[in-house]
């Protein structure tokens, strides 16, 4: 297989944790496959999580902050902070992006959310393409990161049953939908089904071997696996500008799943 | 009406923003109703977002960090940091909690996620009650914050249609489910239907007046409105310990909505 570029954005405070071990394992497997791997270790980088006026190196910094407007202007004039621009360059370099994190409160740790909030500037992560009553931007299948692949690697203390179709936490694919669809498919990524390790409170050697064996297969197929078939915004299935599925579009079931074919 | 205690946890970097105005408006309305209001203005407080070893004032701080174990020990021995313990005291004081934030990437800003990640310590936000094969803790309707009410006040640039049943972003109630159900109902809050202001990119005076008129009604009913009827974990509808809805439980539809009556 051709050598590809893989960016792992990793969010766990403890290098010797299960997450740290899985991150190291992923690097090893991907490099053995011949890929080039770059890791953004957010805790090690002391990543700044909060969006604020310091993110935008603009003249009028004492004016009231309008996040969207400042983000747009700073991105266009290359006056975002260097930490943010470095991550944007890594994204452009990557053929595949992996977010690796423990599921905390049914979402990602704050530090990773802060990576998205800051790196996805207007004009880069959103606000791409024509926005009018006839066209609502290049997004959900199109955008800056189109043609690249993305994968979540997630650990959770809960059981697989707790995250099943009738499990109390809600179906894991629904819990991850705002990330897979709203954060990754949105700027154009092809999104793979997530890799989730359950019941991670006490992992013995046997269980770790099982998890890594499954993860190895997942990583070996990073550029081969079929992505989640989300519907593309601009492929004719949605009304513009209300962005509702057209009446003629038959869906299976209810909830987030109607947005995939 | 009886005077109640209301905690507003507010996450926006700009005081003169729509969010800032809505926060000020809420304080005014609630105080006129006779309630006592406390605000945690996370940006103004320079809230620390990331969970790390500094959160736990324990002896073995140079050991590898196990977040759950350290959180448990630090909570039990009152060796969490003062900023976290102050927020826990505010939660215990409050009769109602309001999270107010702009929807960024289909979730809350990182700084607010970091408030949850840190304030919801083991023994306080989770890990409450007996955990065994017969009982899976006091959660989802029971827990430390049982008997209190909670409400999200959210702004978003998208249109109401984009967040409707067939809208491309997914139904707003589904997007907010991991917060309403997973963060608020989990430690025991009765959760009210969320207040969402749409299309907030350019709000003129007329639109602001409309939004605040609706918000006033919402706040006037903070202690009167019927909560979302989520199913309680320990009320007999879920199998223990798999926490799946029992076979006999009839549900309407698919997805997150099956977890409400």
């Amino acid at each position: 297989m051709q050598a590809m570029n893989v960016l792992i954005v990793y969010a766990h405070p403890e290098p010797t944790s299960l997450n740290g071990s899985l991150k190291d394992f992923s690097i090893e497997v991907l490099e053995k496959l011949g890929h080039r791997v770059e890791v953004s270790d957010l805790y090690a980088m002391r990543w700044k999580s909060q969006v604020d006026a310091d993110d935008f190196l603009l003249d009028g910094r004492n004016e009231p902050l309008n996040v969207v407007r400042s983000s747009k202007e700073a991105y266009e004039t290359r006056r975002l902070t260097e930490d943010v621009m470095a991550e944007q360059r890594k994204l452009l370099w990557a053929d595949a992006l992996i977010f690796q994190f423990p599921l905390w409160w049914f979402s990602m740790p704050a530090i990773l959310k802060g990576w998205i909030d800051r790196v996805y500037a207007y004009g880069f992560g959103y606000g791409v393409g024509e926005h009018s009553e006839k066209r609502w931007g290049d997004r959900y299948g199109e955008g800056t990161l189109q043609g690249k692949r993305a994968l979540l690697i997630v650990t959770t203390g809960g059981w697989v049953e707790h995250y099943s179709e009738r499990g109390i936490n809600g179906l894991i694919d629904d819990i991850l939908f705002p990330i897979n669809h709203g954060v990754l498919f949105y700027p154009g990524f092809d999104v793979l089904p997530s890799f989730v390790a359950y019941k991670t409170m006490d992992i013995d050697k046997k269980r770790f071997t099982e998890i890594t064996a499954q993860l190895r297969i997942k990583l070996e197929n990073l550029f081969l696996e079929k992505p989640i078939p989300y519907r593309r915004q601009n492929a004719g299935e949605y009304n513009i500008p209300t962005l509702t599925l057209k009446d003629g579009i038959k869906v299976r079931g209810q909830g987030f799943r109607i947005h995939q074919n």
Side-chain angles (χ1 to χ4, degrees), chain A:
Chain A
M1 149 164 292
Q2 209 191 323
M4 303 294 239
N5 298 337
V6 182
L7 171 62
I8 301 177
V9 181
Y10 160 73
H12 196 284
E14 176 53 50
T16 68
S17 64
L18 172 65
N19 266 274
S21 303
L22 293 180
K23 181 258 295 167
D24 293 342
F25 177 84
S26 295
I27 296 169
E28 192 188 312
V29 170
L30 291 166
E31 288 185 341
K32 274 204 182 134
L33 289 166
H35 302 317
R36 291 167 290 261
V37 181
E38 180 87 40
V39 179
S40 291
D41 181 342
L42 300 185
Y43 273 93
M45 295 157 71
R46 299 184 167 274
W47 182 260
K48 171 178 179 277
S49 298
Q50 76 282 12
V51 171
D52 60 26
D54 292 342
D55 288 347
F56 313 113
L57 310 175
L58 302 172
D59 300 329
R61 286 174 74 190
N62 295 324
E63 287 172 24
L65 172 66
N66 179 308
V67 172
V68 173
R69 214 173 296 151
S70 293
S71 178
K72 180 175 193 287
E73 188 185 342
Y75 177 70
E76 282 172 357
T77 59
R78 305 192 55 75
R79 286 184 288 175
L80 292 165
T81 53
E82 177 50 33
D83 61 344
V84 165
M85 291 201 291
E87 297 305 303
Q88 293 177 343
R89 285 193 296 272
K90 290 181 199 172
L91 282 171
L92 295 175
W93 165 85
D95 299 301
L97 167 68
I98 293 173
F99 282 153
Q100 201 211 304
F101 59 94
L103 196 67
W104 287 352
W105 297 106
F106 308 105
S107 187
M108 52 182 73
I111 201 169
L112 178 53
K113 182 55 169 43
W115 185 92
I116 293 161
D117 289 345
R118 296 183 61 231
V119 174
Y120 271 33
Y122 187 104
F124 182 85
Y126 69 115
V128 177
E130 179 190 337
H131 278 70
S132 69
E133 300 283 308
K134 294 201 172 163
R135 180 159 176 92
W136 202 268
D138 301 344
R139 54 176 219 171
Y140 288 125
E142 297 174 289
T144 304
L145 303 169
Q146 195 174 349
K148 303 171 185 293
R149 301 188 142 225
L151 167 67
L152 305 184
I153 298 179
V154 179
T155 64
T156 174
W159 299 12
V160 65
E161 293 90 342
H162 303 173
Y163 292 97
S164 65
E165 184 70 47
R166 287 169 68 93
I168 195 164
N169 293 341
L171 186 67
I172 190 72
D173 289 341
D174 287 338
I175 291 168
L176 298 177
F177 179 91
I179 307 172
N180 278 329
H181 182 264
V183 172
L184 296 171
F185 186 59
Y186 188 105
F189 282 107
D190 290 324
V191 184
L192 301 184
S194 302
F195 182 88
V196 183
Y198 297 94
K199 241 180 176 173
T200 55
M201 279 308 147
D202 286 291
I203 296 280
D204 58 16
K205 205 160 184 178
K206 177 165 168 290
R207 187 82 186 95
F208 183 76
T209 305
E210 285 169 9
I211 293 172
T212 48
Q214 290 162 357
L215 181 54
R216 178 188 301 279
I217 295 168
K218 191 81 185 174
L219 294 169
E220 285 172 349
N221 288 285
L222 185 58
F223 293 98
L224 302 169
E225 191 175 356
K226 200 170 160 292
I228 302 170
Y230 290 131
R231 302 177 193 273
R232 295 160 60 112
Q233 175 178 292
N234 298 318
E237 295 185 306
Y238 293 94
N239 297 300
I240 310 280
T242 58
L243 304 179
T244 49
L245 275 170
K246 288 180 179 171
D247 285 345
I249 303 295
K250 288 277 190 308
V251 299
R252 277 178 307 241
Q254 267 191 326
F256 291 145
R257 63 200 74 184
I258 70 172
H259 297 289
Q260 53 183 74
N261 270 299

